[in-house]
Amino acid sequence: MAKTESYYQMHKYWGKKPAENLYELLDKYTSKGDIVLDPFSGYGVFTSEAYLNGRNAIGNDLNPASVFIQKQLLNMDVDISIFSLEIEGIIEGYKELFGHLYSDKCPKCNSKAMVIATLRSKHDEPLMNRIKCSCSNTMIEYELSDESALAILDMEKEIVLIPHPVGSLIKNGRISVKEGMTTDDLFTRRSLQCHSYLYSSINAIKNSDIRDLAKFVFTSNLANCSKLVPPIKSRGPMNPGAWMTGFYIGETYIENNVFHYFNNRLLKTIKGKKAIIDRFSNNIGKKGKGRINEFSNFDSQSTAYLITNEDSKKLSLPSNSIDYVFTDPPYGDSVPYFEQSS
């Protein structure tokens, strides 16, 4: 098992551990049925490996983002076929409704084409487009005329945003958060419009398993479609780098098409969920009790997992109840987890 296993690539988190090394520890120091604990569980690789290898696993983290990711990673009850149909329907509906926001004429054939990304200055001025057109097997990149750039800005001025969550960012010069900054400041108006409607539709999904997994996809895509994606200039003005671990907006940034990239994250999530469900079926099957809500619900005859959101110094676990602890504490103050999880 490698760190690149598809279900460990569905979402972003700091300091993921190689799954194969964790299995070696589990195999050497624990037995099936043991209760194991990771008090700083992060993405949940150890929790998952322990559970998928027949241990009763507890994953704890103070960060609610970590807890949410782990619950979605290990939920085997979601119906992937129904999930796919529901979310693909939402995407198609919004492509029709908001397709014009990501549309331009191809400079080669003059036909209508989908804009995949736009290069913009730190003042939000549109500079270049990358489009996908039927006249070419590769993406086409071109500079925008002053008239085309102005048309994008005018189009954005006409956008009326619907109510959506707005988070206040904690002032921190080290990660470029200024006084009064909110999460809205990290997105263009076009991106905010698309994200807001997408989030509203996801919130309206009645099935809680499908709704939560859709939010998992949504949150995994947010940074990809923010102002935090810098170009790697040595490879070209529109070659995207990894999104910033902080809230620094460079001289230029790449604004990605929300629906195109959300669909990419959706496909990765579907692939990852299918893989982890298959592994669960092959390794655990009927012995898997799934998620429990209290420590007292552990059963030595079955395999279960417990995800907790507590201070690791004050875990509400019985004394002498854990057979093995795997601990990899946070990097002091070098990674501001809570600020960056906003």
Side-chain angles (χ1 to χ4, degrees), residues 37-52:
L37 164 70
D38 183 351
F40 305 98
S41 49
Y43 186 92
V45 180
F46 178 81
T47 314
S48 302
E49 285 302 303
Y51 179 62
L52 293 170

Side-chain angles (χ1 to χ4, degrees), residues 16 65 78 85 102 105 181 192 215 281 312 328:
K16 293 179 191 175
V78 63
L85 287 172
Y102 297 105
K105 284 187 177 181
M181 270 184 76
L192 275 176
K215 285 184 179 180
S281 299
S312 60
D328 182 29

Side-chain angles (χ1 to χ4, degrees), residues 100-111:
H100 66 284
L101 297 181
Y102 297 105
S103 178
D104 199 12
K105 284 187 177 181
C106 174
K108 288 189 175 182
C109 69
N110 207 37
S111 60

Side-chain angles (χ1 to χ4, degrees), residues 11 68-69 72 83 87 165 198-205 208-222 262 269:
H11 211 293
F68 177 75
I69 289 171
Q72 298 318 304
F83 170 76
I87 308 309
L198 195 52
Y199 183 77
S200 176
S201 291
I202 288 170
N203 250 356
I205 296 172
S208 60
D209 288 328
I210 290 175
R211 183 174 63 247
D212 284 346
L213 189 58
K215 285 184 179 180
F216 177 92
V217 180
F218 180 82
T219 55
S220 75
N221 187 55
L222 275 174
F262 180 85
T269 299

Side-chain angles (χ1 to χ4, degrees), residues 315-326:
L315 292 177
S316 55
L317 299 172
S319 296
N320 301 312
S321 60
I322 306 300
D323 297 300
Y324 178 72
V325 177
F326 170 83

